[in-house]
Amino acid sequence: MNGLEQRNRTFGECLTELKARLSFVAQGPSSNNNNPVLSSFLQEGHDYIYKKLKPTPARKKATITITAGSFLYDFHNDIEDEYIDPASVRSVWVLVDGVQRVQLTQGISEADREFSERSYPTRYDNLNGQIELWPIPDRIYPLVIEYIAPQPRFSQPADRPGVPDRLILLYAIANAKAHYRHPDAQAAGATFAEMLKMEQGDQHENRRYIVNDGQRATEMVRSTPDGYKLTVR
């Protein structure tokens, strides 16, 4: 988990506030009967906003302890309980003697698999959804996988979203109010739409772009009294 994600409230905290905003907390323990519906609104909001904002994927590193004689391991970040998509792997390293870093080459041939001597791994491959190492490790080594993180899970109490939690809450509040036929549902929906628009504008403000038309030019989105304007320098 990166620092930006840690600024956001957890799924459990968002669920608690959502129930408070809907005045369900006053119902006591019986308010928990609404948890499945409210949880689905939070998860749906996370998915929807993530697709709208398209946040820059985070580069992460996961360390797997490999042991003597074992050459198959799960593509999984155990510390963050996160599955690693094999297609998102950028590099794999093994730490030899705790200091020397050896980068593994992807690809293991059948001729390689006939090699019986054991050593620290120098190659890896994807076999049945697991990471396969070659040669077979002769002892314990730390294996470091650098990968591009997927959209964060947002379903367990301690999970933190990959987009601003306030937007997820506004989405969930608007949809929950409509679901429970609250009279201010439309106003809540308008607030969410406006906040999402502002967040999308903030993503582009002061971001520079290069126009590839034979001449180098810089485009910059700036905030003006009339809204966001694209200028070219």
Side-chain angles (χ1 to χ4, degrees):
M1 181 181 303
N2 59 49
L4 291 176
E5 291 174 1
Q6 289 179 330
R7 298 176 187 176
N8 293 322
R9 284 167 289 185
T10 65
F11 181 86
E13 292 169 336
C14 288
L15 179 60
T16 298
E17 180 166 344
L18 177 58
K19 291 166 68 174
R21 295 286 295 272
L22 297 171
S23 301
F24 288 164
V25 175
Q27 299 176 7
S30 63
S31 68
N32 293 332
N33 295 331
N34 300 302
N35 283 5
V37 173
L38 300 183
S39 295
S40 70
F41 286 139
L42 289 171
Q43 294 166 8
E44 183 181 273
H46 184 246
D47 292 341
Y48 176 78
I49 296 164
Y50 198 92
K51 290 178 181 178
K52 282 291 185 181
L53 297 183
K54 297 181 176 64
T56 302
R59 292 175 56 189
K60 290 187 176 181
K61 290 183 180 180
T63 300
I64 299 175
T65 301
I66 58 177
T67 57
S70 298
F71 61 94
L72 288 175
Y73 297 87
D74 291 335
F75 279 101
H76 193 265
N77 185 336
D78 291 338
I79 294 179
E80 298 190 24
D81 190 18
E82 181 176 76
Y83 170 73
I84 300 174
D85 182 354
S88 73
V89 173
R90 292 295 176 263
S91 62
V92 180
W93 304 76
V94 65
L95 298 180
V96 182
D97 299 326
V99 179
Q100 182 185 2
R101 283 165 42 109
V102 177
Q103 185 171 4
L104 277 62
T105 302
Q106 185 173 13
I108 301 174
S109 67
E110 291 305 316
D112 290 333
R113 292 185 175 93
E114 295 178 358
F115 184 79
S116 59
E117 293 186 21
R118 298 187 179 187
S119 175
Y120 61 81
T122 58
R123 307 184 74 89
Y124 79 97
D125 215 334
N126 178 15
L127 181 63
N128 297 327
Q130 291 184 298
I131 185 169
E132 179 187 13
L133 303 176
W134 179 91
I136 297 175
D138 59 340
R139 58 181 177 84
I140 293 176
Y141 296 98
L143 187 76
V144 181
I145 301 177
E146 182 177 342
Y147 65 101
I148 302 300
Q151 175 180 323
R153 184 186 66 186
F154 193 59
S155 59
Q156 302 300 315
D159 291 347
R160 296 183 189 271
V163 292
D165 59 83
R166 68 183 185 282
L167 288 178
I168 297 173
L169 269 170
L170 287 171
Y171 178 96
I173 290 169
N175 282 273
K177 284 181 177 290
H179 176 79
Y180 292 108
R181 301 184 184 279
H182 288 199
D184 58 344
Q186 187 172 355
T191 300
F192 164 73
E194 183 63 24
M195 292 296 291
L196 178 60
K197 181 179 179 181
M198 292 174 60
E199 185 69 29
Q200 288 175 312
D202 289 344
Q203 280 189 315
H204 295 284
E205 185 175 8
N206 293 331
R207 183 170 294 180
R208 298 174 183 272
Y209 302 89
I210 300 299
V211 181
N212 187 18
D213 60 356
Q215 295 182 349
R216 295 184 62 86
T218 302
E219 295 183 351
M220 180 176 290
V221 179
R222 297 181 182 276
S223 178
T224 71
D226 298 324
Y228 289 97
K229 300 293 184 180
L230 182 66
T231 59
V232 180
R233 300 193 305 176

